[in-house]
Amino acid sequence: MRVAEWIIRTIDLFYIAPVSSLLPRQVFRYAACGGGNVLFGWGCYFLIYNFLLDKELLDLGFVAVSPHVAAMLCTFPITFFAGFWLNRHVAFRRSPIPQGTQLFRYALSVAGSVGVNYVFLKFFVEVCAIWATPSQMLASCITTVYSFLAAKYFTFRHAAAE
């Protein structure tokens, strides 16, 4: 059994009433994939921030990057490709759009997500004085709303519902 099929079967185990009467299966799979990727990203962020960066500035020689932003930037490529794979092979697997076009659209929508995430992460850490990891979690929750709308109405808009 392929990994994507195993993930779909696992997610569909939880697609029961009352959820099944409220959400289409595709939306439920998207939410499960997105939620799993967010949790994965939080774990990566925590490990990178606390152990790789050791909560210290990342000095690149020409610029010093704050540890909370550096952790976000390091986590980004990991969650980018994990999220694209999950969306393409689990949530929107019946999309007729070619993979390259999907990847380009996904990159555009993720660029918007990075901007939203960056603004809210800076706001929560530097204005609200909330610790970096909870700030990233709050920023991720806000970014999720934007991301869902971008995927549904732009990236995978022609995907057939299952």
Side-chain angles (χ1 to χ4, degrees):
M1 177 184 324
R2 290 184 13 206
V3 175
E5 292 169 358
W6 180 84
I7 293 170
I8 289 168
R9 287 184 182 175
T10 302
I11 290 170
D12 286 351
L13 287 174
F14 299 95
Y15 188 67
I16 56 175
V19 176
S20 60
S21 61
L22 298 172
L23 293 175
R25 186 178 304 270
Q26 185 179 57
V27 173
F28 183 76
R29 287 180 182 169
Y30 176 84
C33 289
N37 200 38
V38 166
L39 292 174
F40 175 62
W42 289 347
C44 291
Y45 183 91
F46 175 83
L47 293 172
I48 291 168
Y49 178 78
N50 288 293
F51 299 107
L52 184 64
L53 296 170
D54 199 26
K55 303 175 192 167
E56 299 289 330
L57 283 174
L58 178 62
D59 188 357
L60 300 175
F62 61 93
V63 67
V65 182
S66 61
H68 55 279
V69 172
M72 181 191 80
L73 294 173
C74 290
T75 303
F76 169 73
I78 299 165
T79 57
F80 175 85
F81 287 108
F84 178 73
W85 187 88
L86 286 168
N87 278 304
R88 177 163 171 75
H89 295 285
V90 177
F92 300 101
R93 62 192 187 130
R94 295 199 179 192
S95 175
I97 300 170
Q99 182 174 346
T101 303
Q102 285 179 343
L103 183 60
F104 178 73
R105 289 180 178 187
Y106 187 76
L108 290 176
S109 69
V110 168
S113 293
V114 169
V116 170
N117 193 73
Y118 177 82
V119 167
F120 282 100
L121 179 62
K122 295 282 279 183
F123 173 74
F124 290 135
V125 170
E126 296 174 13
V127 176
C128 299
I130 300 173
W131 289 343
T133 301
S135 292
Q136 177 61 25
M137 291 174 171
L138 289 169
S140 294
C141 290
I142 293 167
T143 303
T144 298
V145 175
Y146 164 82
S147 179
F148 172 76
L149 296 172
K152 182 171 174 67
Y153 296 109
F154 176 64
T155 307
F156 300 102
R157 72 173 175 233
H158 298 296
E162 292 188 35

PDB file of all heavy atoms in Angstrom, residues 142-158:
ATOM      1  N   ILE A 142      -3.738  31.622  12.398  1.00  0.00           N
ATOM      2  CA  ILE A 142      -4.253  32.699  11.555  1.00  0.00           C
ATOM      3  C   ILE A 142      -3.923  32.429  10.083  1.00  0.00           C
ATOM      4  O   ILE A 142      -4.763  32.592   9.191  1.00  0.00           O
ATOM      5  CB  ILE A 142      -3.687  34.064  12.012  1.00  0.00           C
ATOM      6  CG1 ILE A 142      -4.232  34.403  13.402  1.00  0.00           C
ATOM      7  CG2 ILE A 142      -4.014  35.165  11.009  1.00  0.00           C
ATOM      8  CD1 ILE A 142      -3.524  35.544  14.087  1.00  0.00           C
ATOM      9  N   THR A 143      -2.712  31.963   9.839  1.00  0.00           N
ATOM     10  CA  THR A 143      -2.271  31.673   8.483  1.00  0.00           C
ATOM     11  C   THR A 143      -3.089  30.546   7.857  1.00  0.00           C
ATOM     12  O   THR A 143      -3.311  30.531   6.639  1.00  0.00           O
ATOM     13  CB  THR A 143      -0.771  31.314   8.490  1.00  0.00           C
ATOM     14  OG1 THR A 143      -0.050  32.403   9.066  1.00  0.00           O
ATOM     15  CG2 THR A 143      -0.253  31.058   7.097  1.00  0.00           C
ATOM     16  N   THR A 144      -3.566  29.629   8.671  1.00  0.00           N
ATOM     17  CA  THR A 144      -4.350  28.501   8.173  1.00  0.00           C
ATOM     18  C   THR A 144      -5.615  28.960   7.449  1.00  0.00           C
ATOM     19  O   THR A 144      -5.997  28.380   6.425  1.00  0.00           O
ATOM     20  CB  THR A 144      -4.709  27.548   9.333  1.00  0.00           C
ATOM     21  OG1 THR A 144      -3.491  27.052   9.880  1.00  0.00           O
ATOM     22  CG2 THR A 144      -5.571  26.404   8.873  1.00  0.00           C
ATOM     23  N   VAL A 145      -6.259  29.972   7.949  1.00  0.00           N
ATOM     24  CA  VAL A 145      -7.478  30.478   7.306  1.00  0.00           C
ATOM     25  C   VAL A 145      -7.145  30.990   5.903  1.00  0.00           C
ATOM     26  O   VAL A 145      -7.829  30.644   4.930  1.00  0.00           O
ATOM     27  CB  VAL A 145      -8.131  31.591   8.162  1.00  0.00           C
ATOM     28  CG1 VAL A 145      -9.314  32.207   7.437  1.00  0.00           C
ATOM     29  CG2 VAL A 145      -8.539  31.039   9.516  1.00  0.00           C
ATOM     30  N   TYR A 146      -6.099  31.782   5.794  1.00  0.00           N
ATOM     31  CA  TYR A 146      -5.668  32.276   4.484  1.00  0.00           C
ATOM     32  C   TYR A 146      -5.307  31.107   3.560  1.00  0.00           C
ATOM     33  O   TYR A 146      -5.701  31.072   2.399  1.00  0.00           O
ATOM     34  CB  TYR A 146      -4.457  33.215   4.632  1.00  0.00           C
ATOM     35  CG  TYR A 146      -3.751  33.435   3.322  1.00  0.00           C
ATOM     36  CD1 TYR A 146      -4.223  34.378   2.414  1.00  0.00           C
ATOM     37  CD2 TYR A 146      -2.641  32.671   2.969  1.00  0.00           C
ATOM     38  CE1 TYR A 146      -3.596  34.553   1.190  1.00  0.00           C
ATOM     39  CE2 TYR A 146      -2.020  32.842   1.753  1.00  0.00           C
ATOM     40  CZ  TYR A 146      -2.493  33.776   0.864  1.00  0.00           C
ATOM     41  OH  TYR A 146      -1.876  33.946  -0.347  1.00  0.00           O
ATOM     42  N   SER A 147      -4.547  30.155   4.077  1.00  0.00           N
ATOM     43  CA  SER A 147      -4.075  29.024   3.286  1.00  0.00           C
ATOM     44  C   SER A 147      -5.222  28.189   2.730  1.00  0.00           C
ATOM     45  O   SER A 147      -5.195  27.771   1.568  1.00  0.00           O
ATOM     46  CB  SER A 147      -3.161  28.148   4.149  1.00  0.00           C
ATOM     47  OG  SER A 147      -2.711  27.047   3.428  1.00  0.00           O
ATOM     48  N   PHE A 148      -6.224  27.943   3.551  1.00  0.00           N
ATOM     49  CA  PHE A 148      -7.374  27.170   3.090  1.00  0.00           C
ATOM     50  C   PHE A 148      -8.071  27.873   1.926  1.00  0.00           C
ATOM     51  O   PHE A 148      -8.395  27.259   0.910  1.00  0.00           O
ATOM     52  CB  PHE A 148      -8.369  26.934   4.222  1.00  0.00           C
ATOM     53  CG  PHE A 148      -9.651  26.308   3.745  1.00  0.00           C
ATOM     54  CD1 PHE A 148      -9.698  24.964   3.435  1.00  0.00           C
ATOM     55  CD2 PHE A 148     -10.799  27.065   3.577  1.00  0.00           C
ATOM     56  CE1 PHE A 148     -10.870  24.378   2.972  1.00  0.00           C
ATOM     57  CE2 PHE A 148     -11.972  26.497   3.116  1.00  0.00           C
ATOM     58  CZ  PHE A 148     -12.013  25.149   2.808  1.00  0.00           C
ATOM     59  N   LEU A 149      -8.302  29.149   2.068  1.00  0.00           N
ATOM     60  CA  LEU A 149      -8.978  29.903   1.012  1.00  0.00           C
ATOM     61  C   LEU A 149      -8.155  29.919  -0.273  1.00  0.00           C
ATOM     62  O   LEU A 149      -8.700  29.790  -1.372  1.00  0.00           O
ATOM     63  CB  LEU A 149      -9.290  31.317   1.489  1.00  0.00           C
ATOM     64  CG  LEU A 149     -10.282  31.407   2.657  1.00  0.00           C
ATOM     65  CD1 LEU A 149     -10.374  32.837   3.177  1.00  0.00           C
ATOM     66  CD2 LEU A 149     -11.646  30.876   2.254  1.00  0.00           C
ATOM     67  N   ALA A 150      -6.838  30.052  -0.154  1.00  0.00           N
ATOM     68  CA  ALA A 150      -5.969  30.049  -1.338  1.00  0.00           C
ATOM     69  C   ALA A 150      -5.981  28.690  -2.036  1.00  0.00           C
ATOM     70  O   ALA A 150      -6.037  28.619  -3.267  1.00  0.00           O
ATOM     71  CB  ALA A 150      -4.546  30.434  -0.940  1.00  0.00           C
ATOM     72  N   ALA A 151      -5.945  27.615  -1.266  1.00  0.00           N
ATOM     73  CA  ALA A 151      -5.952  26.277  -1.874  1.00  0.00           C
ATOM     74  C   ALA A 151      -7.285  25.983  -2.551  1.00  0.00           C
ATOM     75  O   ALA A 151      -7.331  25.480  -3.676  1.00  0.00           O
ATOM     76  CB  ALA A 151      -5.656  25.213  -0.814  1.00  0.00           C
ATOM     77  N   LYS A 152      -8.353  26.311  -1.875  1.00  0.00           N
ATOM     78  CA  LYS A 152      -9.689  25.996  -2.395  1.00  0.00           C
ATOM     79  C   LYS A 152     -10.024  26.810  -3.645  1.00  0.00           C
ATOM     80  O   LYS A 152     -10.585  26.277  -4.593  1.00  0.00           O
ATOM     81  CB  LYS A 152     -10.738  26.249  -1.315  1.00  0.00           C
ATOM     82  CG  LYS A 152     -12.153  25.897  -1.750  1.00  0.00           C
ATOM     83  CD  LYS A 152     -13.098  25.952  -0.565  1.00  0.00           C
ATOM     84  CE  LYS A 152     -14.524  25.751  -0.944  1.00  0.00           C
ATOM     85  NZ  LYS A 152     -14.851  24.429  -1.438  1.00  0.00           N
ATOM     86  N   TYR A 153      -9.669  28.077  -3.646  1.00  0.00           N
ATOM     87  CA  TYR A 153     -10.097  28.949  -4.740  1.00  0.00           C
ATOM     88  C   TYR A 153      -8.998  29.288  -5.749  1.00  0.00           C
ATOM     89  O   TYR A 153      -9.264  29.983  -6.722  1.00  0.00           O
ATOM     90  CB  TYR A 153     -10.698  30.233  -4.174  1.00  0.00           C
ATOM     91  CG  TYR A 153     -11.951  29.956  -3.387  1.00  0.00           C
ATOM     92  CD1 TYR A 153     -11.973  30.068  -2.005  1.00  0.00           C
ATOM     93  CD2 TYR A 153     -13.120  29.548  -4.029  1.00  0.00           C
ATOM     94  CE1 TYR A 153     -13.121  29.785  -1.269  1.00  0.00           C
ATOM     95  CE2 TYR A 153     -14.269  29.267  -3.308  1.00  0.00           C
ATOM     96  CZ  TYR A 153     -14.264  29.403  -1.938  1.00  0.00           C
ATOM     97  OH  TYR A 153     -15.392  29.108  -1.225  1.00  0.00           O
ATOM     98  N   PHE A 154      -7.765  28.805  -5.544  1.00  0.00           N
ATOM     99  CA  PHE A 154      -6.705  29.137  -6.477  1.00  0.00           C
ATOM    100  C   PHE A 154      -5.846  27.914  -6.841  1.00  0.00           C
ATOM    101  O   PHE A 154      -5.862  27.469  -7.983  1.00  0.00           O
ATOM    102  CB  PHE A 154      -5.813  30.247  -5.901  1.00  0.00           C
ATOM    103  CG  PHE A 154      -4.632  30.597  -6.755  1.00  0.00           C
ATOM    104  CD1 PHE A 154      -4.812  31.147  -8.019  1.00  0.00           C
ATOM    105  CD2 PHE A 154      -3.339  30.381  -6.310  1.00  0.00           C
ATOM    106  CE1 PHE A 154      -3.712  31.455  -8.820  1.00  0.00           C
ATOM    107  CE2 PHE A 154      -2.243  30.677  -7.098  1.00  0.00           C
ATOM    108  CZ  PHE A 154      -2.431  31.224  -8.362  1.00  0.00           C
ATOM    109  N   THR A 155      -5.139  27.357  -5.897  1.00  0.00           N
ATOM    110  CA  THR A 155      -4.157  26.322  -6.188  1.00  0.00           C
ATOM    111  C   THR A 155      -4.760  25.067  -6.801  1.00  0.00           C
ATOM    112  O   THR A 155      -4.287  24.574  -7.821  1.00  0.00           O
ATOM    113  CB  THR A 155      -3.366  25.956  -4.912  1.00  0.00           C
ATOM    114  OG1 THR A 155      -2.840  27.139  -4.336  1.00  0.00           O
ATOM    115  CG2 THR A 155      -2.237  25.004  -5.222  1.00  0.00           C
ATOM    116  N   PHE A 156      -5.801  24.533  -6.167  1.00  0.00           N
ATOM    117  CA  PHE A 156      -6.394  23.269  -6.618  1.00  0.00           C
ATOM    118  C   PHE A 156      -7.862  23.442  -6.972  1.00  0.00           C
ATOM    119  O   PHE A 156      -8.672  22.552  -6.787  1.00  0.00           O
ATOM    120  CB  PHE A 156      -6.257  22.214  -5.513  1.00  0.00           C
ATOM    121  CG  PHE A 156      -4.841  21.937  -5.123  1.00  0.00           C
ATOM    122  CD1 PHE A 156      -4.308  22.486  -3.968  1.00  0.00           C
ATOM    123  CD2 PHE A 156      -4.040  21.132  -5.895  1.00  0.00           C
ATOM    124  CE1 PHE A 156      -3.006  22.240  -3.580  1.00  0.00           C
ATOM    125  CE2 PHE A 156      -2.717  20.864  -5.531  1.00  0.00           C
ATOM    126  CZ  PHE A 156      -2.208  21.430  -4.366  1.00  0.00           C
ATOM    127  N   ARG A 157      -8.236  24.584  -7.513  1.00  0.00           N
ATOM    128  CA  ARG A 157      -9.636  24.928  -7.691  1.00  0.00           C
ATOM    129  C   ARG A 157     -10.420  24.004  -8.627  1.00  0.00           C
ATOM    130  O   ARG A 157     -11.625  23.947  -8.557  1.00  0.00           O
ATOM    131  CB  ARG A 157      -9.803  26.373  -8.119  1.00  0.00           C
ATOM    132  CG  ARG A 157      -9.374  26.651  -9.524  1.00  0.00           C
ATOM    133  CD  ARG A 157      -9.730  28.078  -9.917  1.00  0.00           C
ATOM    134  NE  ARG A 157      -9.194  28.350 -11.229  1.00  0.00           N
ATOM    135  CZ  ARG A 157      -8.439  29.370 -11.516  1.00  0.00           C
ATOM    136  NH1 ARG A 157      -8.134  30.235 -10.580  1.00  0.00           N
ATOM    137  NH2 ARG A 157      -8.002  29.545 -12.725  1.00  0.00           N
ATOM    138  N   HIS A 158      -9.755  23.279  -9.482  1.00  0.00           N
ATOM    139  CA  HIS A 158     -10.469  22.397 -10.408  1.00  0.00           C
ATOM    140  C   HIS A 158     -10.508  20.942  -9.937  1.00  0.00           C
ATOM    141  O   HIS A 158     -10.923  20.079 -10.691  1.00  0.00           O
ATOM    142  CB  HIS A 158      -9.840  22.459 -11.799  1.00  0.00           C
ATOM    143  CG  HIS A 158      -9.909  23.818 -12.412  1.00  0.00           C
ATOM    144  ND1 HIS A 158     -11.103  24.427 -12.729  1.00  0.00           N
ATOM    145  CD2 HIS A 158      -8.923  24.695 -12.731  1.00  0.00           C
ATOM    146  CE1 HIS A 158     -10.853  25.631 -13.242  1.00  0.00           C
ATOM    147  NE2 HIS A 158      -9.551  25.813 -13.249  1.00  0.00           N
TER     148      HIS A 158
END
